[in-house]
Each structure stands twice: as structure tokens, then as C-alpha cells.
Amino acid sequence: MKRGKIIGEVWAARKVGKLDGKRLVLVGIDGEDRVVVAIDTLSASVGQTVLVSFGSGARNVLAPGPHNRALVCDAAISLLEDGAT
Amino acid sequence: MLLGVVEGAVWGARQASGFSGHKLLRVRTTNGTLVAAVDGLSAGVGDRVLVAHGSRVRDLALGETVPTKDVIVAIVDDFQT
Amino acid sequence: MILGRVTGEVWASRKHGGLDGQKLLIVKPHAWYAPTHDVGHLIAVDSLGAGIGEEVVVCLGAPARWSLGGKTFPVEAAIAAIVDHTEIKK
């Protein structure tokens, strides 16, 4: 998982079947020069600090459990940060 | 696996359901990157830890429904380079 | 996943059996996320019918491979969405 900040949103009407209706956001990863497109199921707002899960961790955000391999998703917002020490 | 130092904890009221009951820690790895990992060992701030990455490790250490691939698998007492 | 633009299409009559009937697109990413590649483009399978010039969201790695229904396909990128609009606030 990586920590990052929501920097924008992506709208796409045509999506792979299982992603229909899911929101896509752009996340800038902390301390790294990269931007990731992630699925957001937690309704994060722009500017918010979040944790992004990748790979099978991302699929577990959308559909917990081992039998979720058909999801075409490699990044998802898994937590909206309220605080950190 | 990566060696790192626990910098602090992260929490949020809105989170993926698979995280409930798990603690999340911020770990600065020896190659300088920051990862958020699930802690199964009650590591504290300043502890040197081993972070394993991958779904196999996650399945064995935490379960198949936890939405992360980074797991703290050891609190390091000492190491030699 | 990453954002990119479709810059071309690849046709091949001789290819791995798993790619039969799959449309292959050349995508130039706007920004990379791991794994980074030395070349400035990648080849993605497309099930949505994206056209050249369109902006797309590309899924990388194993989830892309599984989009064809198994882990034995020689695929590392798949089109996950065709972008209508993006908004970025820095």
C-alpha cells in the first residue's frame, strides 16, 4: 500500500464490465513522481490523503475473498486517512 | 522483503471492510520509499521491521480478504551488514 | 492503473494462441506507475473497442492477464476504461 493524495478524477462511460458504475480517481503518490488511476469505493474528495492498495489487495477492496481474479483492477483506494502519527 | 523503520500509524474512519481489526503502520524502507503495511505483531514507532510484499504472504499471515499486499512479518532485533 | 493515449494498433497473423481474436493497441502512457519500462509505450489488449487518439485507463500486471480468463495468457496490460473527461487539481 502507498499513501497519496487525490489530485483529480477521471470520467469514463465505457468501462470493462465489472467496473461499471465505479468511480475512478487520480492519486499522486507521496514522495514518488507518479500518478495512479485508482478505483474509489469510499467517495474520497479531491485533496484528501488516502491509502492506495495495489494488485490483489485492490481487488480485495472491491470484492473481498480469493475468487475475485476476474476484476480488471490493479489499484483501489482502501482508506481515507483521518490521522497519522 | 524489505527492511524498514516504523514511522507512525495511519487511521481512518472510512476504510475498506477488510481492514477492520487490523492496524496500519507507515514504514520507511531502507531504500527510502514509504509503504503502509498491516501490522500483525504489534510493532511500535521506531521499531526496525521486515515488510513482506505479496498476496501469498498476505493470505498466510492475515487472510485472503485483507486489501493489502504489504505485511509486517518480523520485528528485527539486530542485523549486521 | 495508468492513463494513456492510444497511438496505434498492432495486427499479427502469427501470434500466441491465447491472443487469437484479441485487439492489440499501442498505448503511450501520460504517467507511469510500476513497473516502469524503458520504451515509451506498451501494448494492451482491448475488449472495449477503443480507437486511435482516444484516452484510456490501462490496467497492468496479473489483473490484466486474468481479464482474458486465465493466468496462462501472454498479456501484461489491458484497457480498463475509455476516458470521457479528466479533471486535475494540483
Side-chain angles (χ1 to χ4, degrees):
Chain A
M1 270 179 303
K2 294 278 181 183
R3 195 162 170 231
K5 192 181 261 190
I6 308 275
I7 60 164
E9 204 171 328
V10 177
W11 285 272
R14 283 177 290 172
K15 287 202 273 279
V16 170
K18 294 244 165 56
L19 300 186
D20 256 352
K22 300 273 193 289
R23 182 171 178 242
L24 293 168
V25 291
L26 288 163
V27 188
I29 302 296
D30 274 11
E32 292 174 40
D33 186 27
R34 61 177 179 161
V35 174
V36 170
V37 182
I39 301 256
D40 172 34
T41 57
L42 303 172
S43 312
S45 45
V46 173
Q48 197 151 26
T49 303
V50 295
L51 291 185
V52 190
S53 290
F54 296 98
S56 64
R59 297 199 304 270
N60 275 350
V61 173
L62 302 179
H67 305 297
N68 54 10
R69 283 183 149 146
L71 284 169
V72 185
C73 165
D74 64 11
I77 308 295
S78 55
L79 180 138
L80 309 188
E81 187 181 294
D82 287 333
T85 53
Chain B
M1 278 196 291
L2 291 168
L3 193 60
V5 176
V6 177
E7 284 197 342
V10 188
W11 62 89
R14 270 194 288 176
Q15 57 178 22
S17 56
F19 277 144
S20 47
H22 293 290
K23 201 169 92 185
L24 294 164
L25 294 179
R26 270 187 312 128
V27 180
R28 175 77 62 183
T29 64
T30 44
N31 56 25
T33 59
L34 202 57
V35 295
V38 170
D39 174 29
L41 301 168
S42 316
V45 174
D47 276 351
R48 218 180 265 134
V49 292
L50 271 182
V51 181
H53 181 84
S55 55
R56 304 289 156 91
V57 180
R58 189 263 327 279
D59 291 352
L60 289 169
L62 303 168
E64 289 170 331
T65 58
V66 181
T68 182
K69 291 173 85 175
D70 301 289
V71 186
I72 292 177
V73 292
I75 299 173
V76 176
D77 295 321
D78 204 0
F79 72 99
Q80 216 170 23
T81 50
Chain C
M1 290 159 294
I2 56 169
L3 273 180
R5 193 175 294 283
V6 179
T7 58
E9 191 172 345
V10 182
W11 293 275
S13 47
R14 278 194 293 168
K15 57 190 169 195
H16 186 280
L19 294 177
D20 270 350
Q22 296 298 327
K23 189 175 159 201
L24 299 172
L25 293 179
I26 305 170
V27 179
K28 192 168 164 25
H30 296 322
W32 283 107
Y33 110 78
T36 50
H37 295 55
D38 289 336
V39 291
H41 70 272
L42 53 75
I43 309 292
V45 291
D46 173 33
S47 58
L48 295 174
I52 291 173
E54 277 188 299
E55 224 178 338
V56 289
V57 174
V58 184
C59 176
L60 301 176
R65 195 166 309 123
W66 275 91
S67 72
L68 298 187
K71 60 180 172 186
T72 57
F73 294 92
V75 166
E76 56 163 18
I79 307 290
I82 299 172
V83 175
D84 297 319
H85 176 62
T86 53
E87 209 171 280
I88 299 179
K89 291 182 192 133
K90 276 270 184 181

